Amino acid sequence: MNQFLSIIWNPPVEAFTLLGLPIRFYSLFWVIGLICAYFLVKKLYQEQKLASKQFEPLFLYCFIGILVGARLGHCIFYEPEYYFASFPNFLEMLLPIEFTGSGVRLTGYRGLASHGGTIGIFVGLWLYCRKQKLSLLRVIDMVCIATPVTAAAIRLGNLMNSEIVGKPTGSDAGFVFAQLGEDFPRYPAQLYEALAYLVIFAVIYMIYRKHKDWVGSGFYFGFCIASIFLFRFFIEFCKEVQSPWEKGLALDMGQLLSIPFVIAGAWLIVHAFKTIRKDNKK
């Protein structure tokens, strides 16, 4: 194996210890992504002249929506046979624990699905907008401008965890995931996704700087989910399946779940332009 073409990927799982608790890089990147989104959306609220008191509860609704949706999405979409097999397994779906022969072990939530997180945040935003009496499309548009940054941070966390790996490259080039006990290169699919989401953020933010009045039309909502899940659909071709039952399928679960989001995003973009044209004619 050519050492100049391959990268031996074996980073530490834990970033540091805080008050005796180990902080994993995965959790750290999640927090970084959410903090970046928090300040970006706060700036957007200010530019859209919305009251700061209306912004303050938003983060909590988003955080709970993403976490609950992503966790349930993983368990239901990818491992239903395990989590619905017994009551202790069902509790592991809801709580960050694992039942072992010697008792209960705190593990954190191992297994989060982006499709479920997307659905969860929509539910959270719907509840938030009902409470604050705000336009749902307006709020979702602002949140979706910042969403690709969080998505990129989460994928970097997956990379640090050596999970959601790519398929073997069949050459000397690629990442060798030493934590998995492997000695052959794979595609760094997590890194590809992270970079793609940062590019999507750059594009969507540049569009916003020129068209701030499009907020509320649904354009940014549609652009965000269509571009992210379109890339997700194609990147799945170079990723290992997450569950054994997906092997042999023409399309894996990630691709099947991405199709409705791409279609919905495209429809939102078309609908947004119709709304924008009508507003311009007034």
Side-chain angles (χ1 to χ4, degrees):
M1 184 168 61
N2 191 326
Q3 295 181 350
F4 294 103
L5 296 177
S6 61
I7 296 175
I8 307 300
W9 188 250
N10 191 26
V13 175
E14 296 177 1
F16 54 86
T17 301
L18 180 64
L19 300 177
L21 295 174
I23 305 300
R24 299 167 68 95
F25 272 107
Y26 180 71
S27 301
L28 183 61
F29 275 104
W30 254 87
V31 172
I32 290 172
L34 290 173
I35 289 174
C36 289
Y38 174 88
F39 285 108
L40 279 167
V41 177
K42 184 177 182 180
K43 180 181 179 182
L44 297 177
Y45 261 61
Q46 292 170 347
E47 292 180 349
Q48 293 293 317
K49 295 180 172 53
L50 292 174
S52 59
K53 66 179 181 180
Q54 290 181 301
F55 170 76
E56 290 165 4
L58 177 64
F59 181 81
L60 182 61
Y61 280 87
C62 289
F63 178 78
I64 294 175
I66 292 172
L67 183 61
V68 173
R71 179 58 180 164
L72 293 179
H74 172 82
C75 298
I76 295 171
F77 296 148
Y78 293 99
E79 297 186 84
E81 71 287 347
Y82 173 81
Y83 289 103
F84 291 99
S86 66
F87 183 67
N89 291 10
F90 182 77
L91 287 179
E92 289 180 12
M93 177 172 69
L94 304 176
L95 303 173
I97 59 174
E98 179 183 23
F99 289 94
T100 65
S102 58
V104 178
R105 184 165 65 97
L106 182 66
T107 60
Y109 287 117
R110 296 185 300 182
L112 301 170
S114 58
H115 298 89
T118 303
I119 296 171
I121 195 172
F122 290 159
V123 174
L125 289 173
W126 175 73
L127 293 172
Y128 161 81
C129 290
R130 283 192 62 187
K131 181 71 173 178
Q132 297 297 321
K133 295 180 173 55
L134 290 171
S135 164
L136 180 60
L137 267 183
R138 192 179 186 192
V139 172
I140 291 182
D141 266 352
M142 288 187 286
V143 170
C144 282
I145 291 171
T147 293
V149 176
T150 304
I154 292 171
R155 280 297 178 254
L156 290 175
N158 294 137
L159 180 63
M160 297 301 292
N161 256 9
S162 296
E163 60 189 3
I164 313 182
V165 297
K167 294 178 180 178
T169 63
S171 68
D172 290 338
F175 275 44
V176 178
F177 291 94
Q179 290 178 7
L180 304 181
E182 299 177 347
D183 60 359
F184 56 89
R186 292 181 178 272
Y187 293 107
Q190 318 96 316
L191 184 59
Y192 296 161
E193 282 194 75
L195 293 174
Y197 298 156
L198 289 176
V199 170
I200 289 170
F201 167 71
V203 172
I204 200 171
Y205 191 71
M206 284 191 294
I207 295 173
Y208 167 75
R209 299 314 302 175
K210 293 183 178 180
H211 301 285
K212 294 181 181 180
D213 57 318
W214 288 4
V215 170
S217 68
F219 170 80
Y220 298 106
F221 178 20
F223 185 89
C224 176
I225 62 174
S227 57
I228 283 179
F229 287 108
L230 183 62
F231 183 83
R232 174 71 185 272
F233 179 88
F234 287 108
I235 196 65
E236 289 290 319
F237 285 113
C238 74
K239 288 166 63 175
E240 289 286 10
V241 296
Q242 296 188 50
S243 297
W245 60 265
E246 296 178 88
K247 292 181 178 179
L249 297 178
L251 299 176
D252 64 26
M253 179 58 78
Q255 291 172 313
L256 293 173
L257 292 171
S258 294
I259 292 171
F261 287 100
V262 175
I263 294 172
W267 181 86
L268 282 162
I269 291 172
V270 172
H271 183 267
F273 278 124
K274 288 181 179 178
T275 302
I276 292 166
R277 289 195 190 99
K278 286 180 181 179
D279 291 341
N280 289 338
K281 289 179 179 179
K282 291 179 180 179

